[in-house]
Amino acid sequence: MKIEQFIRKLNNTELNNQNTNDAYIRISTDIQNSVPSDFFDELDSNVINVINKKTREKVDNWVRYQYYPSNNEFRVVNLSSIYKSYGATSGDYVYLEKIQNEYGTHYEIYIKTYPKLCLKYSKSNKAFEILNESEVLKMSILKKRLILIFEGVEIDSKIDFSHSKKKRIDSPTESRYYSIDNLPSNFFNLIKRDSFVEVSERGSKFYINVMNSWSFNRFTK
């Protein structure tokens, strides 16, 4: 069995948390240039079986790869039912797998969910936006001293509110930005345009990392 696997770390817009018209995966130019074209081109649940791995059933919606001229971007669309079945939040990973075996080819979609603080760094604001504030409240790590571990080094730090600001003039609400104390310069050097910053708890210790927004793998079973 041959498996091609695309993994994407989800943001609020893709999850439809900001009242967009759909839940989807944005396929950036970088992804298009790196992933074989047939992986996305053949994704159409009206033509090929697309399975929600949690329910082991075919998706009800018309899941497909589509170009949106108004946004000048490609997307995998109609993923609301899958996201809802897993209770996905920002920073969770969606797995899209193209599976080829002796019976033919089909796709499977599933989500990896786990507790974490998921952030995006804004260079213009020199601060972090928390993407999953409701989930973060359960972790109780804001506004108090804590030790963050980055690349094996312990950092005496604190995550605290910095300021609110609209991202654009026409934005309906202000976004909330947070500071993280004592992060080293090499941490910020790792942050790219699509990077996520993540704080997770493992064995009563908190780890902070810069995470890539996507990856693509091939393997056989």
Side-chain angles (χ1 to χ4, degrees):
M1 179 168 59
K2 177 183 175 183
I3 299 175
E4 293 179 307
Q5 181 189 73
F6 173 70
I7 307 172
R8 167 76 176 175
K9 200 168 181 64
L10 295 167
N11 60 42
N12 279 325
T13 306
E14 290 169 311
L15 286 161
N16 196 21
N17 289 341
Q18 297 178 342
N19 298 316
T20 55
N21 294 324
D22 184 30
Y24 59 91
I25 304 171
R26 183 178 69 87
I27 308 301
S28 66
T29 301
D30 188 29
I31 296 172
Q32 294 172 52
N33 292 337
S34 303
V35 176
S37 59
D38 64 339
F39 180 87
F40 293 114
D41 289 342
E42 294 178 7
L43 178 59
D44 185 330
S45 63
N46 283 352
V47 177
I48 194 169
N49 285 340
V50 179
I51 307 298
N52 179 340
K53 197 168 184 177
K54 184 172 186 176
T55 63
R56 301 306 307 172
E57 297 178 350
K58 296 179 184 178
V59 295
D60 294 326
N61 298 333
W62 182 19
V63 175
R64 64 194 185 278
Y65 179 56
Q66 180 173 318
Y67 175 65
Y68 277 72
S70 59
N71 303 86
N72 192 29
E73 67 181 25
F74 286 86
R75 299 175 180 177
V76 176
V77 299
N78 281 339
L79 298 176
S80 295
S81 62
I82 295 176
Y83 291 171
K84 288 178 181 177
S85 70
Y86 282 89
T89 63
S90 291
D92 287 340
Y93 288 99
V94 56
Y95 287 69
L96 175 57
E97 294 183 343
K98 182 180 181 181
I99 301 172
Q100 301 176 64
N101 55 31
E102 65 269 28
Y103 304 107
T105 301
H106 71 280
Y107 288 83
E108 294 186 1
I109 305 176
Y110 59 99
I111 312 288
K112 178 184 176 184
T113 63
Y114 58 101
K116 74 282 182 190
L117 170 59
C118 184
L119 311 101
K120 294 285 283 186
Y121 181 67
S122 169
K123 289 185 178 180
S124 61
N125 288 282
K126 296 182 179 180
F128 299 84
E129 181 184 6
I130 296 178
L131 303 184
N132 57 342
E133 284 193 331
S134 60
E135 190 173 347
V136 167
L137 295 176
K138 303 174 186 176
M139 298 176 68
S140 300
I141 61 174
L142 299 181
K143 301 182 179 180
K144 66 180 183 180
R145 305 308 301 182
L146 74 159
I147 300 298
L148 294 176
I149 300 174
F150 172 63
E151 296 185 341
V153 178
E154 294 188 351
I155 303 168
D156 182 18
S157 188
K158 183 181 181 182
I159 304 172
D160 206 350
F161 176 73
S162 173
H163 63 278
S164 294
K165 184 180 178 181
K166 288 188 175 183
K167 292 181 180 179
R168 300 184 306 271
I169 295 176
D170 60 346
S171 295
T173 59
E174 293 184 333
S175 296
R176 293 166 56 86
Y177 293 95
Y178 292 78
S179 61
I180 303 178
D181 292 350
N182 301 327
L183 291 176
S185 58
N186 62 322
F187 178 89
F188 293 95
N189 293 338
L190 295 174
I191 298 177
K192 303 175 183 176
R193 182 177 179 273
D194 283 341
S195 296
F196 289 78
V197 173
E198 184 173 286
V199 177
S200 58
E201 184 178 9
R202 301 197 296 272
S204 75
K205 294 184 177 181
F206 291 96
Y207 295 78
I208 186 167
N209 293 288
V210 178
M211 316 291 287
N212 292 329
S213 64
W214 67 275
S215 63
F216 182 77
N217 309 293
R218 286 191 180 100
F219 53 92
T220 57
K221 286 186 176 181

